[in-house]
Amino acid sequence: MTRSDSGQDRPRKGFPEKRQAIMRASRKVFGRVGYQGASIDVIATEASVSTRTIYNHFENKEQLFATVLIESSEQVAAAHEAMIERHLDGTSSAADLEADLVGLAEDWVRPRPEFADHVAIVARINTEGEHFPAALHDAWQKAGPLRVQRALAARLARLAERGLLQVRDAELAAQHFVVLVTNTWGRGRGRAGFGALSDAETHEIAAAGVHAFLYGHLPRD
């Protein structure tokens, strides 16, 4: 930090740009080799900065990883909240509810290149679970998955209030939706190999997950 004429601290020139470069590089490295395999030296090389620059921003690798994970999770959560708002905006009717949910499911499972590094980090977390601090795991869940679950649960609860769904526990129903959609997509990916699924395949998989969800949550006379 430098000081202005008034004596107040102000950011050094280039401070935000350096931090962004470090964050981008960290996401790539942590996603590629995991927390255990990453080092400040490797991240510095990836970011084209010195290790001293990294330590000017973060105390250690633990703090850097935590910051990367939480900020990235918040960005992904915000994207999912916008997605939920777009597809379940409160105008769904009984006639178009399934189509609205299928549209949401398609967007939910469609790969987003801008979040590829985050997805890789989460996969690494699942692999390195025993080495992952419980407090950071809880912070990550609150910043990302649980935040998204609450947003979806709120929309499903509103649909239930309008009589379009039968929902006793909105958060559990949100879990059902995510698990059914993502697990069905995972099986589809397994059949397709590592190549991208076509729009038709994505629609088929999303529709199958939504059909299973509605079987358990449509109102019954």
Side-chain angles (χ1 to χ4, degrees):
M1 303 287 288
T2 59
R3 299 187 70 81
S4 66
D5 293 338
S6 64
Q8 295 181 338
D9 290 334
R10 64 185 181 190
R12 289 191 298 265
K13 184 177 181 180
F15 186 95
E17 291 80 4
K18 291 290 186 182
R19 187 183 188 280
Q20 290 171 12
I22 294 168
M23 295 291 285
R24 285 194 300 269
S26 298
R27 282 194 294 269
K28 290 181 181 179
V29 173
F30 286 130
R32 187 167 63 235
V33 301
Y35 175 78
Q36 297 295 321
S39 71
I40 293 296
D41 286 341
V42 171
I43 292 170
T45 299
E46 183 75 33
S48 299
V49 300
S50 68
T51 57
R52 178 179 292 277
T53 297
I54 293 180
Y55 285 119
N56 284 340
H57 291 76
F58 303 96
E59 292 181 4
N60 48 42
K61 187 176 79 167
E62 291 84 352
Q63 186 192 52
L64 173 56
F65 180 76
T67 303
V68 166
L69 179 61
I70 298 305
E71 289 192 9
S72 181
S73 296
E74 289 172 343
Q75 292 168 5
V76 173
H80 276 82
E81 287 173 335
M83 188 188 306
I84 294 166
E85 171 70 22
R86 185 166 62 251
H87 290 283
L88 304 180
D89 61 359
T91 63
S92 297
S93 66
D96 55 28
L97 174 61
E98 183 169 3
D100 290 343
L101 288 173
V102 169
L104 173 60
E106 288 176 341
D107 274 356
W108 201 286
V109 302
R110 189 173 286 116
R112 306 218 13 198
E114 66 270 34
F115 297 138
D117 292 329
H118 174 80
V119 172
I121 291 174
V122 171
R124 286 285 181 176
I125 290 172
N126 293 332
T127 300
E128 302 175 356
E130 67 275 13
H131 304 296
F132 201 63
L136 181 54
H137 183 277
D138 291 344
W140 159 54
Q141 287 288 309
K142 290 177 182 177
L146 291 179
R147 172 178 161 181
V148 174
Q149 180 181 302
R150 287 192 297 269
L152 179 57
R155 292 293 171 172
L156 296 180
R158 292 182 191 178
L159 291 171
E161 290 171 359
R162 296 174 55 207
L164 299 181
L165 290 176
Q166 180 175 286
V167 173
R168 294 181 180 177
D169 184 329
E171 291 199 6
L172 182 59
Q175 290 181 34
H176 289 164
F177 180 87
V178 174
V179 169
L180 286 168
V181 168
T182 56
N183 281 3
T184 305
W185 179 78
R187 289 195 294 273
R189 290 283 294 175
R191 292 196 305 269
F194 292 104
L197 295 174
S198 68
D199 288 343
E201 289 169 328
T202 298
H203 175 80
E204 179 183 358
I205 290 167
V210 169
H211 179 78
F213 172 79
L214 289 176
Y215 181 82
H217 291 284
L218 277 178
R220 286 168 172 75
D221 295 333

